[in-house]
Amino acid sequence: MMSFELTLVDIVDLLLRGGTFGVLLLLIIRFAQRPDFGPLCLTGILFGLSGLIEIILNARPMILVRAQDDFVLLGFQQFHFITMWWFIQALFDDQFRWRPASFWPFAVSPPLIAGSSLAPEHLQWWFMVALILLNVAILALIIHTALRNRSSDLIDDRRSFSLVLAFSVPPFSLFVFVTSFLYVEANLESYLGMVYSAVYFLLALGFSFWLTNLKEGLFQRSGNGALPPVARTEMSAADRLELDRVVKAMEGGLYLEPGLTIGGLADALHIPEHRLRRLINSGLGYRNFAAFVNDYRIDEAKRRLSNPALAREQIIQHAFSLGYASLAPFNRAFRERVGVSPTEFREAALSRPSTQ
């Protein structure tokens, strides 16, 4: 039977892992108990569960028990990376849903994991490098997802958190993954494990604190990325007046401005940007400025595509006149809201018998 002696460093390491385990378990329970259970809660649970397993498998006593059998740890680490990517997508993309493209890492990872552990020794290094590069790509996608829509995000807490997350969790995760391939002296390995546990505990604690202080709007979402707005009676008179100016400007056609941004709208209305974000978010229920603008644009697109006088107008011309820079984002926004492409919608609309 294998035996080992716990040092003070090992004891601190285990205590930190126990604390992280408890924090993640509480987060999992909170996600599971939410009445508005959806993709964000499900991906959060998967991410938390994979983190729990990795914490256990990465503990020094478990490493000694496993000896050189690393493919189990690599498999769970890889699953942790993938669930992290899913969770960040669900957190920052209000339109997130699983698509076939969401599962491509599962096609690439298994042969690389098997090769890095079971291939002939002279080939294992190449499989390890390929696996590291794969995870660099996944972490780059995580950073891109967190920062991509930050400028148009109307939820202030999520905007601030995106910067912290993008430049803390991915680099730390990559560091842990790379060091798992390195063979270091036992004492150094113990200290590295303790540092890893301490950082992981602080990250989990910080994230749980941020999540428990979030408004309910982060979880409540509908098909167009909106949430129930605050009743106008609960708004101050000044907020109601400014919100009326926002709606009047958009209904007057300001949404047709190419490349309209939250900053551009704020300048046009002479309203501070931070206040405009809050007004659109709380007063109209939108979580993202792009969704707010797209709703106006797609409503106008449906009107134009239903007009027999514009039946010969090319779809791309409609896209440009509605403020889109190209056809692709117009098609994507239209399909997300209407369920069919602009061409299909026009064919159906113009095929209906006219009423006198």
Side-chain angles (χ1 to χ4, degrees):
M1 177 180 293
M2 181 177 295
S3 62
F4 48 85
E5 181 181 351
L6 288 177
T7 65
L8 178 60
V9 172
D10 293 329
I11 294 174
V12 173
D13 175 71
L14 290 175
L15 290 174
L16 290 169
R17 289 177 187 273
T20 306
F21 191 96
V23 171
L24 290 179
L25 189 59
L26 287 174
L27 287 175
I28 292 171
I29 294 173
R30 185 182 178 200
F31 278 130
Q33 291 179 336
R34 289 205 60 84
D36 46 4
F37 192 90
L40 178 59
C41 295
L42 180 55
T43 55
I45 290 173
L46 292 174
F47 176 54
L49 288 174
S50 62
L52 293 181
I53 296 172
E54 186 180 354
I55 288 171
I56 296 173
L57 293 179
N58 251 328
R60 189 162 179 265
M62 288 297 297
I63 294 175
L64 294 175
V65 170
R66 289 195 339 265
Q68 300 301 317
D69 189 16
D70 286 331
F71 72 91
V72 174
L73 174 61
L74 289 178
F76 278 107
Q77 282 181 328
Q78 199 60 37
F79 184 67
H80 189 52
F81 272 101
I82 297 171
T83 56
M84 184 196 306
W85 176 45
W86 286 347
F87 180 53
I88 298 305
Q89 287 185 89
L91 185 61
F92 291 101
D93 183 0
D94 296 327
Q95 305 296 328
F96 171 78
R97 61 182 183 274
W98 275 286
R99 301 176 175 89
S102 303
F103 298 92
W104 68 264
F106 285 110
V108 181
S109 301
L112 298 181
I113 293 172
S116 62
S117 301
L118 306 176
E121 190 171 345
H122 68 284
L123 294 177
Q124 286 185 9
W125 186 85
W126 294 104
F127 281 103
M128 291 177 184
V129 170
L131 195 56
I132 290 173
L133 292 177
L134 171 63
N135 287 325
V136 169
I138 293 176
L139 293 175
L141 288 173
I142 289 174
I143 295 174
H144 173 71
T145 301
L147 300 180
R148 177 181 54 194
N149 296 321
R150 184 176 181 273
S151 61
S152 63
D153 199 337
L154 299 176
I155 303 177
D156 287 334
D157 290 335
R158 190 167 64 176
R159 290 182 69 244
S160 59
F161 179 67
S162 64
L163 284 177
V164 177
L165 182 141
F167 297 105
S168 60
V169 176
F172 168 68
S173 300
L174 185 61
F175 167 77
V176 172
F177 186 76
V178 172
T179 54
S180 68
F181 287 110
L182 302 179
Y183 296 95
V184 296
E185 186 181 346
N187 289 336
L188 181 58
E189 183 181 32
S190 297
Y191 282 107
L192 282 175
M194 186 181 68
V195 171
Y196 158 79
S197 300
V199 176
Y200 205 154
F201 174 71
L202 292 175
L203 289 175
L205 195 63
F207 177 72
S208 64
F209 176 79
W210 174 79
L211 192 63
T212 52
N213 283 277
L214 280 178
K215 298 176 181 177
E216 291 298 299
L218 182 71
F219 297 92
Q220 299 170 357
R221 58 186 72 189
S222 63
N224 67 344
L227 55 101
V230 172
R232 291 180 67 85
T233 54
E234 298 179 18
M235 302 174 64
S236 68
D239 281 349
R240 288 198 299 270
L241 289 171
E242 285 190 331
L243 188 59
D244 287 340
R245 287 175 54 206
V246 173
V247 173
K248 184 177 180 180
M250 294 298 287
E251 291 178 346
L254 192 55
Y255 62 89
L256 298 174
E257 183 73 24
L260 181 65
T261 63
I262 183 75
L265 182 60
D267 291 340
L269 298 177
H270 305 290
I271 299 176
E273 185 176 325
H274 70 90
R275 195 159 73 221
L276 182 59
R277 290 181 188 275
R278 178 178 56 81
L279 285 172
I280 298 174
N281 177 232
S282 61
L284 298 175
Y286 285 92
R287 302 151 56 87
N288 185 280
F289 184 71
F292 170 60
V293 175
N294 278 332
D295 273 359
Y296 282 97
R297 289 177 173 175
I298 299 307
D299 282 345
E300 176 63 14
K302 289 163 64 178
R303 187 190 67 79
R304 295 184 185 186
L305 293 171
S306 302
N307 188 348
L310 300 175
R312 294 290 183 182
E313 189 84 10
Q314 292 185 348
I315 298 296
I316 193 171
Q317 292 303 120
H318 285 299
F320 288 145
S321 64
L322 289 167
Y324 291 95
S326 64
L327 182 60
F330 171 58
N331 282 337
R332 183 167 55 250
F334 195 96
R335 186 178 289 276
E336 284 176 351
R337 283 158 178 76
V338 185
V340 295
S341 70
T343 301
E344 293 168 332
F345 177 85
R346 179 163 65 181
E347 287 297 317
L350 297 181
S351 297
R352 289 194 292 265
S354 59
T355 57
Q356 299 296 330

